Amino acid sequence: MNPIEPIELADFKVGVDNVIFSVDTQQNRLLVLLIKRLNYPFSSYWSLPGTLVRQGETLEKAAYRTLSELIRVNNLYLEQLYTFGGPNRDPRELPESFGVRYLSVSYFALVRYEEAELIQKQSNFPSWYMIEKIPQLAFDHNQILDYGYQRLKSKLKYSPIVFDVLPELFTLNDLYQFYTTILGENFSDYSNFRNKLLKLGFLFDTGVKVTKGAGRPASLYRFDAPSFAPLKDQPLLFI
Amino acid sequence: MNPIEPIELADFKVGVDNVIFSVDTQQNRLLVLLIKRLNYPFSSYWSLPGTLVRQGETLEKAAYRTLSELIRVNNLYLEQLYTFGGPNRDPRELPESFGVRYLSVSYFALVRYEEAELIQKQSNFPSWYMIEKIPQLAFDHNQILDYGYQRLKSKLKYSPIVFDVLPELFTLNDLYQFYTTILGENFSDYSNFRNKLLKLGFLFDTGVKVTKGAGRPASLYRFDAPSFAPLKDQPLLFI
């Protein structure tokens, strides 16, 4: 420390920004929820949904509040993603604006598409965007979104988040399609994927069969949480 | 939003707190770097090393600054851990104190013990504590440390961070001891561990042998980064 020059601490406002993913399992599309900004800065740009943290409010509560103002959904996974807090990420930091730094604690969410109902009365046009067609976003939100996309892919490999958003009963092909939509066609062939997951021992064949399209009848499986519980702290690969 | 009651945003100071781990490979001890607090609040409590973020400074730079004021080390791994920012985590938030919320962006570091030199001129007594003997820490630092410990264990399973801090040449037994010190004796037996790691194909036998204690001569290996590069985005288990 230099005792001559007093050290100036930065003052902050803190926001949360949510990277909300969903998989449209009918059309095999990976989607991200964006909103249109109505105010300065980056007015009329698309952005990740977010909010500034209020007095007495936890970060996580702010993340859930943002989500609940945009969509109704019961089945979801949410966790903290990463904190972006460098200088110059928000023009409101300028002395002629508010003169405080804006830090973003980002959250990552995966929601069940089939039941996620967008709240259309919002004036900021909450919209699902295909991951391949994300426009230039406000602030550093493209970078936050990229970070969330990496986390999503990594989560699929090492954790069972898919079962938080798939329907309770699903075919192994449904599961494979879900993975393929996020990881791309080449992540694994179907029979390796099937064998690997069945060997882990937490997918239970219900005995019920369904027929989809022209295919043979396929068994409906469910994720058995009690069978998974002892594996929770084991090193595990899902693909 | 309720238009009658204006929404009060929280004002923040932002700090970084570092969970700095090291493995004493001579005595097989997992260590955490703590400092003694000299000022209000929690004066004379042990705490994680941290600092408040200065004007113009990035979060990561603040984390490196904290580290460099306490230890000299060349070989280390550092990444952002988690952000703790709920109300009431710091008494300086009280209206009769500074009246702003204190948010902590925590960082996780693993440093090479043999070369990590504590800077003793510091008046805050930087000290290595064994993970089993952590005292009651200031603020929510026990919780942050626990979170860091989970991350460390998880990193060992899924990523090659150990090679950032092991010496360039090591025996497979050195590697096993390092893992055992962090994960406990029962994580794997030696021969499974050895076979699994050799099969991954990025450990190169240098042909040089060393003798330690009464044991047979053991080969010195090195981590081959080019062989690991194509595996970087593959789902991979190290144990």
Side-chain angles (χ1 to χ4, degrees), chain A residues 126-239:
Chain A
S127 308
W128 292 113
Y129 266 78
M130 286 175 64
I131 190 83
E132 299 86 356
K133 298 196 174 161
I134 302 294
Q136 178 67 45
L137 302 178
F139 309 107
D140 50 3
H141 286 192
N142 289 91
Q143 187 192 350
I144 299 177
L145 172 52
D146 283 347
Y147 198 92
Y149 189 26
Q150 297 306 320
R151 176 76 60 97
L152 173 63
K153 291 189 277 192
S154 173
K155 281 267 152 192
L156 281 195
K157 294 173 189 170
Y158 302 115
S159 87
I161 54 167
V162 60
F163 305 110
D164 288 329
V165 297
L166 271 188
E168 201 193 333
L169 302 179
F170 49 83
T171 68
L172 292 178
N173 194 55
D174 292 340
L175 192 57
Y176 182 66
Q177 285 302 327
F178 193 101
Y179 268 74
T180 300
T181 302
I182 295 170
L183 297 174
E185 293 288 339
N186 298 322
F187 86 90
S188 168
D189 67 46
Y190 175 67
S191 88
N192 278 339
F193 176 80
R194 181 183 187 284
N195 294 341
K196 189 146 205 171
L197 272 167
L198 289 180
K199 231 168 83 178
L200 292 172
F202 49 68
L203 293 184
F204 271 35
D205 187 341
T206 62
V208 180
K209 304 230 177 217
V210 288
T211 309
K212 285 184 186 171
R216 287 190 303 163
S219 294
L220 284 175
Y221 284 79
R222 65 176 176 79
F223 174 70
D224 189 64
S227 302
F228 178 70
L231 301 174
K232 197 175 164 298
D233 294 323
Q234 300 294 316
L236 220 56
L237 285 184
F238 289 77
I239 61 173

Side-chain angles (χ1 to χ4, degrees), chain B residues 127-174:
Chain B
S127 308
W128 291 114
Y129 266 78
M130 287 175 64
I131 190 83
E132 299 87 356
K133 299 196 172 162
I134 303 294
Q136 178 67 46
L137 303 178
F139 309 106
D140 50 2
H141 286 192
N142 288 92
Q143 187 193 350
I144 299 177
L145 172 52
D146 284 348
Y147 199 92
Y149 189 25
Q150 297 306 320
R151 175 76 60 95
L152 173 63
K153 290 190 276 193
S154 173
K155 281 267 151 192
L156 281 195
K157 294 172 190 171
Y158 302 115
S159 87
I161 54 167
V162 60
F163 305 110
D164 288 329
V165 296
L166 270 188
E168 203 193 332
L169 301 179
F170 49 83
T171 68
L172 293 178
N173 194 55
D174 292 340

Side-chain angles (χ1 to χ4, degrees), chain A residues 56, chain B residues 85-91 93-94 101-102 140:
Chain B
N88 308 321
R89 58 176 301 280
D90 190 315
E93 185 180 345
L94 293 170
R101 200 192 299 185
Y102 283 72
D140 50 2

Side-chain angles (χ1 to χ4, degrees), chain B residues 159-193:
Chain B
S159 87
I161 54 167
V162 60
F163 305 110
D164 288 329
V165 296
L166 270 188
E168 203 193 332
L169 301 179
F170 49 83
T171 68
L172 293 178
N173 194 55
D174 292 340
L175 192 57
Y176 182 65
Q177 285 302 327
F178 193 101
Y179 268 74
T180 302
T181 302
I182 295 170
L183 297 174
E185 293 287 339
N186 298 322
F187 86 90
S188 168
D189 66 46
Y190 175 66
S191 87
N192 277 339
F193 177 79

